[in-house]
Amino acid sequence: MYSILNKVASSVKPNQLLALKRSYAVSTSLIQPVKQITHPDDKIPQTTLDQVEEYSKYTVNTYARPSIIMKRGKGSYLYDTNERSYLDFTAGIAVNALGHSDPEVAQVLYDQARTLVHTSNLYFNPNAGELAKLVVNKTGGWASKLFLANSGTEANEGALKFARKWGTAQSPSKHKIVCFSHAFHGRSLGALSVTPNPKYQKPFEPLLPGVVTCPYNDTEKALELITDDVCGVIMEPVQGEGGVHPATSQFLQAVRERCNETNSLLIFDEIQCGLSRTGKLWAHQHVENEGCVPDILTMAKPLANGVPIGAILTSEKIGDLIKLGDHGTTFGGNPLASAVALNVMKRITTPEFIASVNEKGQYLTGLLKQLQASHPELIKEVRGKGLLIGVEFTQDPTPLVKMARERGLLIVTAGCQTVRIIPPLIVSKEEALEGVNKLAGAIEQFAAK
């Protein structure tokens, strides 16, 4: 792109070259920054502000939320109580794969709610059984059994329990768990223990003992820390909350091989990166080595497009290890959530759907890299896979969230000064361009401050 500019690099001053590159990038780009603020925070009606104040009196306030109230959604858009539309590049934090108010999901919910909502796990129900069969068969190879839960953190808690049972069945001393820097596995006590972020952990110490943290993508250190007394290793093949960091193929393969040597279970947390989000059914499948598979895989977010559900997928040896009474759930695998998950799973795992995620992911990443070329001093890197994309900035991008929202775009931050771009998987190329145009306007405002 800069071949001509690079030839003159030696004859101009650095700041002049930067200006030339930025001008060239803008002139050759599809991006048209949205400068106008269309959704100003200071124009929110008093009635809405009064509602927010009233709700806050009765809600445990664990989230920093803007003073808007979302009322409805359709496709890639959300609408607040004042009918202002927002292009949603958060998808409920990578949940609404099929967008908002999907007609098929709505119909399944309606039909199933009129038939049977809940029975508990004292009895079989056909939806849970068919869902388990579908997930196992879609995954193939190593996958053998499925345990249905209610959320991602609950799935990870179960996975950690399974690993502990695996270890203590071999030796009372085989109980350590290895996790990785910048990981996020949930906020319940066990999952929090393998989420090595002091901001999250400090108020709730002491946490689960026997947890060891290894630098992510550091193969040498992983080989050192995964020892014979480790029962399980938990990792995200592509980190989400930590800043959208994909694991290298070399790293994933080395960890798998080391787990084989120490007889430790490998747990892939694919709650955010799995189920076609990265352009593969599972993110670890970007590694071409067929042997680079987990012993346990956890999933949740998009599985039922927003209806609460989570699941633990196990290999045969782990499925056979867990016996009656070892684990349980009241609501997990209920007929309602399982019916929706069946519908969603069938639709988001077809070759055509996954190919569309790849195509749109490449398009959106290309647009964001054009944006980076326009602001090289502000945007450090654009990285990710499929429609799980991180834009890392050279300074804290938190103010961008408000600036983008005031242009009708919803984004969410992550670790390492990164903004996560995680739209619904059904986002169109036109919507992708619209979103980047709005983000570009917000970045121009951000850069001017």
Side-chain angles (χ1 to χ4, degrees), residues 31-111:
I31 300 170
Q32 300 296 322
V34 174
K35 302 179 185 296
Q36 183 182 5
I37 294 176
T38 54
H39 299 54
D41 278 358
D42 60 2
K43 299 296 184 182
I44 295 173
Q46 188 60 45
T47 53
T48 300
L49 297 176
D50 290 344
Q51 278 183 294
V52 168
E53 183 179 3
E54 183 71 7
Y55 296 160
S56 297
K57 291 178 183 178
Y58 301 98
T59 305
V60 178
N61 293 306
T62 56
Y63 293 92
R65 292 185 272 208
S67 294
I68 56 176
I69 303 172
M70 294 303 181
K71 182 181 180 181
R72 63 185 180 89
K74 187 66 178 176
S76 298
Y77 294 87
L78 282 171
Y79 299 82
D80 66 18
T81 49
N82 299 297
E83 287 301 316
R84 298 192 300 188
S85 66
Y86 301 82
L87 180 55
D88 187 5
F89 269 21
T90 71
I93 314 183
V95 169
N96 302 107
L98 295 171
H100 299 284
S101 302
D102 176 76
E104 284 192 41
V105 168
Q107 188 64 52
V108 171
L109 278 167
Y110 174 79
D111 291 342

Side-chain angles (χ1 to χ4, degrees), residues 148-157 271 298-301 308-311:
L148 288 167
N150 304 292
S151 67
T153 192
E154 186 181 329
N156 281 338
E157 288 283 345
I271 289 163
T298 56
M299 68 192 80
K301 288 181 179 291
I309 194 171

Side-chain angles (χ1 to χ4, degrees), residues 17 22 29 32 40 86 107 114 132 154 170 196 228 235 238 249 318 335 342 347 371 399 418 424 439 442 445:
L17 181 62
R22 182 179 297 161
S29 172
Q32 300 296 322
Y86 301 82
Q107 188 64 52
R114 286 164 52 91
E154 186 181 329
Q170 298 171 65
D228 290 335
M235 66 184 301
V238 180
S249 294
I318 306 307
L342 259 176
R347 295 165 63 193
L371 199 53
T418 299
L439 182 60
Q445 181 186 354

Side-chain angles (χ1 to χ4, degrees), residues 124-243:
F124 286 100
N125 78 76
N127 296 338
E130 290 298 326
L131 177 60
K133 179 180 175 182
L134 179 65
V135 173
V136 168
N137 288 339
K138 283 281 187 179
T139 303
W142 66 274
S144 176
K145 295 182 185 298
L146 191 75
F147 179 91
L148 288 167
N150 304 292
S151 67
T153 192
E154 186 181 329
N156 281 338
E157 288 283 345
L160 295 174
K161 279 183 65 177
F162 293 3
R164 276 284 172 85
K165 184 174 184 185
W166 171 260
T168 56
Q170 298 171 65
S171 168
S173 63
K174 193 176 182 66
H175 66 275
K176 289 184 179 179
I177 296 168
V178 173
C179 64
F180 295 90
S181 58
H182 305 299
F184 184 87
H185 297 293
R187 295 178 186 268
S188 53
L189 202 61
L192 181 62
S193 299
V194 292
T195 298
N197 185 329
K199 178 178 71 172
Y200 298 143
Q201 289 186 337
K202 190 66 177 175
F204 307 103
E205 293 176 341
L207 299 171
L208 195 69
V211 174
V212 179
T213 301
C214 175
Y216 192 70
N217 272 331
D218 187 333
T219 299
E220 183 177 351
K221 197 66 176 175
L223 297 180
E224 175 189 330
L225 293 176
I226 301 172
T227 54
D228 290 335
D229 58 357
V230 169
C231 65
V233 176
I234 185 168
M235 66 184 301
E236 301 155 275
V238 180
Q239 293 185 330
E241 166 77 17

